[in-house]
Amino acid sequence: MLEERVPFMSAPQAALELCLLAQLFLPPPGTSPPAWTGPSTLHTKPVKHVTPHRYFLIVLTVNQSAQEPVDTVDFASTKPTRRPNKMDGGPRMRTLLLLALFFSMRTEASISSHMDDFIRAVQWLEDRVQGSEPVTVLQALRRAADLDDVFIQHFLGASKSDGSEMVSGVSRYLKGVLHHQVTEDSREGGVVLTSDGTTVALRPVVSGLEAGLSTGNVSHVHQLTLAGDLGLAIEDEDEPDLLGSDGCWDDLDRPRVFTLTDDDPALTTALINGGMDGFILGLAVSNRRPLKLSDLLKSYYCHQLDADGLDAAPLLISRRRRENYRTLAPPPVVVREAAKAVELQRKLEGHADMEPKQKRRLLFSVEAGVKELVFKFVDCPPMMTRCMWGARPYKGTPTNLTLPLPYLYIHHTFSPNKPCLSFKQCSADMRSIQRYHQDQRGWADIGYSFVAGSDGYIYEGRGWFWKGAHTRLHNSVGYGVAFIGNYTDVLPTQNAMGLVRDKLAACATGSRRLAGNFTLQGHRQVVDTDCPGDALFNEIKGWEHFGW
């Protein structure tokens, strides 16, 4: 029984605990199951969730007097309400509660690796931590996940106990989702999928937040987030040439396993995303303390864009991490803090002070690492890979391009004819375009090299190296980039146009995939078509590199 394992709990607390655990481990996406009322006799009730094959059974045994109120738990709100018990008579007895969770063969008794589920866990913790101040909740997260190595303790101290015991299932979940690791079979743990489609390592997020709240020291926030991770990764690698390895989730609706596409990375994309977020949020909370940690995480990771896309979106959201990091973390400062993190780690491990020659070599490596970081994760646009939007395989064998290419061709999709404003909608649009190109036109794959959404991301089509099918007779000499929507009369968002005009083009030339003196043209200039629409074509006439 839970009361026997967790003696500090009262019977009503135990009842609430178990009902909340049920919600935590099987949240019903998009549904609000009926409220649960504690009965007076043995009662069993199957609760059906939105997925047809997912069930669980809650078995309750309760004895209560007429005067004792009954806890009623609303699964949707996770908050208890109380109402009078209308049962007759009987002595007041201790409430006994048993919980049994039974799952079908196709469902595991584990929570998914999605940011929404982590935020649910934070909310669950906020209801139990005394005071529930954000810094106290963060300390509880660190304690539950056992994130107390000497490096973290140097800045944050040992995590303080609030006197309560963590339920073992939640503790195991938090330990798994907060401990970053890459296994020998290239599975990356300690990462979550966010609503905007990016994958984020959580350890630097919570470390940066706690540093911002507890010390407010910018140097501490740097060393506990991206700058520190970068420095320590560079020290461990003689030549870290694999910065930012990305990967694929096993299931985008209920993600559990994230597998990297490259082996043995120095720093993964998820760790870089989490490091940026931890630094940005750590600085934000050092200036303005949030009332609740869960509210801060929801506003940052779960913001929904309106029709203006990112043009009218708040500054402090995950889609803006790259521009925010550029503003808040100048490269020379990142270099200095990364080097300091390495020297501190060596000192904490008992090593002798570095010789001047060692320091110069370290500084040279860190400078090179920061330069690569800035190019790939600040100058280049954030990109959704094929596996993230659910691409079908290429039919046949792709033809490789000969780089660098001399042209960049601008398109609009026309259909879908509306801008996409979320990862879910943009991914659906990408799949729709690919189906049309493969099934109706008989092409090997989606025709475009890249596609710009209005959600802040570039979507990979045939990519940098495969010949496309976007501009007839010109596919081998240029990349084809399309904006999702019909731009005959209106323009894409300023952010979407900036991603292509400023970010994608600079990324392509900087990596020598597009010639430095490339020519930018509209589709209609080389093919008899209205594409990319009158409004967009008139716009690109003023872009750098436009030519006839």
Side-chain angles (χ1 to χ4, degrees):
M1 289 188 190
L2 186 61
E3 288 180 276
E4 294 173 352
R5 290 193 299 107
V6 191
F8 71 89
M9 282 187 183
S10 66
Q13 283 177 319
L16 178 58
E17 196 78 35
L18 291 172
C19 289
L20 287 172
L21 275 172
Q23 187 213 23
L24 177 63
F25 278 79
L26 276 179
T31 66
S32 297
W36 184 269
T37 302
S40 57
T41 58
L42 181 64
H43 183 73
T44 63
K45 181 177 182 179
V47 182
K48 185 174 181 180
H49 285 257
V50 65
T51 305
H53 61 266
R54 186 185 299 131
Y55 297 87
F56 65 91
L57 184 69
I58 298 181
V59 184
L60 298 171
T61 303
V62 181
N63 253 316
Q64 291 179 314
S65 70
Q67 289 75 34
E68 185 177 2
V70 175
D71 279 329
T72 301
V73 180
D74 183 341
F75 276 63
S77 68
T78 73
K79 295 187 181 297
T81 58
R82 300 181 74 81
R83 62 174 176 79
N85 190 346
K86 298 182 180 180
M87 296 188 308
D88 292 330
R92 180 186 180 97
M93 298 180 64
R94 182 177 179 82
T95 302
L96 302 176
L97 180 63
L98 294 171
L99 176 67
L101 295 178
F102 298 93
F103 299 86
S104 72
M105 291 185 297
R106 296 171 60 192
T107 305
E108 294 181 37
S110 61
I111 196 169
S112 77
S113 296
H114 198 284
M115 179 63 78
D116 292 352
D117 286 336
F118 176 69
I119 293 174
R120 284 191 186 95
V122 171
Q123 290 174 308
W124 183 91
L125 202 56
E126 286 171 336
D127 289 339
R128 277 141 195 82
V129 173
Q130 294 178 4
S132 71
E133 288 290 327
V135 69
T136 310
V137 175
L138 287 161
Q139 289 174 346
L141 287 170
R142 180 155 58 98
R143 183 173 65 255
D146 197 23
L147 290 177
D148 260 341
D149 59 49
V150 292
F151 189 83
I152 291 176
Q153 284 195 33
H154 175 81
F155 297 103
L156 303 178
S159 56
K160 301 174 183 178
S161 174
D162 64 353
S164 63
E165 180 183 342
M166 183 74 68
V167 175
S168 60
V170 179
S171 181
R172 285 195 302 271
Y173 162 69
L174 291 174
K175 188 172 291 187
V177 83
L178 287 169
H179 269 280
H180 184 265
Q181 62 175 338
V182 177
T183 63
E184 290 184 357
D185 57 354
S186 297
R187 291 187 174 187
E188 186 175 11
V191 299
V192 295
L193 175 65
T194 67
S195 297
D196 67 10
T198 52
T199 300
V200 174
L202 284 174
R203 190 264 304 155
V205 175
V206 298
S207 296
L209 279 165
E210 188 176 345
L213 285 168
S214 59
T215 74
N217 186 307
V218 177
S219 179
H220 293 180
V221 180
H222 265 298
Q223 293 184 60
L224 283 169
T225 57
L226 183 52
D229 286 335
L230 180 64
L232 297 176
I234 287 173
E235 189 196 24
D236 291 340
E237 299 281 338
D238 292 332
E239 295 181 3
D241 57 354
L242 198 58
L243 188 65
S245 176
D246 211 337
C248 303
W249 285 99
D250 59 335
D251 187 335
L252 294 178
D253 293 324
R254 195 163 180 79
R256 287 193 177 91
V257 179
F258 188 70
T259 305
L260 296 171
T261 53
D262 297 305
D263 296 331
D264 195 24
L267 277 184
T268 66
T269 296
L271 200 55
I272 292 171
N273 287 338
M276 286 185 174
D277 291 345
F279 179 74
I280 294 163
L281 291 171
L283 259 60
V285 298
S286 68
N287 295 317
R288 183 176 180 180
R289 303 175 76 86
L291 295 177
K292 295 186 73 174
L293 177 61
S294 59
D295 288 342
L296 174 66
L297 294 174
K298 281 189 284 189
S299 67
Y300 186 78
Y301 287 109
C302 307
H303 178 78
Q304 295 184 353
L305 300 177
D306 60 21
D308 293 324
L310 276 175
D311 292 355
L315 189 62
L316 192 63
I317 59 174
S318 58
R319 287 181 175 90
R320 294 193 184 276
R321 69 168 58 89
R322 296 191 180 203
E323 61 186 272
N324 284 333
Y325 196 77
R326 176 194 290 274
T327 301
L328 298 172
V333 176
V334 178
V335 170
R336 183 184 71 226
E337 297 298 337
K340 285 169 61 177
V342 173
E343 294 189 69
L344 173 62
Q345 181 72 21
R346 289 175 55 87
K347 180 180 179 181
L348 293 173
E349 291 175 349
H351 297 295
D353 290 342
M354 299 179 74
E355 297 292 333
K357 184 177 181 180
Q358 287 179 294
K359 287 186 178 182
R360 288 195 296 270
R361 181 180 176 185
L362 171 64
L363 199 60
F364 178 80
S365 296
V366 171
E367 287 175 343
V370 171
K371 183 179 180 180
E372 182 184 357
L373 173 76
V374 169
F375 175 70
K376 289 185 176 180
F377 288 89
V378 177
D379 295 340
C380 289
M383 191 171 296
M384 292 298 169
T385 59
R386 292 172 62 91
C387 68
M388 288 302 298
W389 58 263
R392 293 174 175 178
Y394 189 101
K395 292 182 177 180
T397 302
T399 301
N400 289 328
L401 293 165
T402 301
L403 306 181
L405 301 182
Y407 288 94
L408 181 65
Y409 299 109
I410 302 298
H411 301 249
H412 70 166
T413 63
F414 189 77
S415 178
N417 62 2
K418 293 182 180 179
C420 62
L421 297 164
S422 68
F423 167 64
K424 183 177 181 180
Q425 184 58 55
C426 292
S427 296
D429 286 348
M430 289 294 291
R431 293 191 297 272
S432 174
I433 296 167
Q434 187 188 41
R435 281 196 304 272
Y436 175 69
H437 286 180
Q438 287 185 321
D439 298 346
Q440 301 299 316
R441 296 204 165 188
W443 297 348
D445 196 4
I446 187 171
Y448 307 117
S449 308
F450 300 97
V451 179
S454 294
D455 62 335
Y457 296 98
I458 297 290
Y459 286 74
E460 181 186 29
R462 299 205 189 186
W464 295 116
F465 305 109
W466 294 352
K467 177 182 174 182
H470 46 79
T471 313
R472 192 172 65 250
L473 302 180
H474 295 76
N475 293 312
S476 59
V477 296
Y479 292 115
V481 181
F483 291 85
I484 292 181
N486 178 357
Y487 297 106
T488 302
D489 300 315
V490 298
L491 286 174
T493 63
Q494 291 298 317
N495 178 269
M497 290 190 292
L499 283 178
V500 175
R501 179 189 61 231
D502 305 324
K503 298 284 189 177
L504 188 66
C507 188
T509 55
S511 57
R512 296 180 175 83
R513 293 162 180 167
L514 195 60
N517 62 345
F518 76 93
T519 300
L520 182 144
Q521 292 184 323
H523 187 194
R524 64 172 62 181
Q525 290 178 260
V526 291
V527 175
D528 185 15
T529 176
D530 291 333
C531 181
D534 292 344
L536 181 55
F537 181 66
N538 289 331
E539 166 70 20
I540 67 172
K541 289 178 182 178
W543 291 8
E544 186 179 4
H545 292 280
F546 178 83
W548 292 96

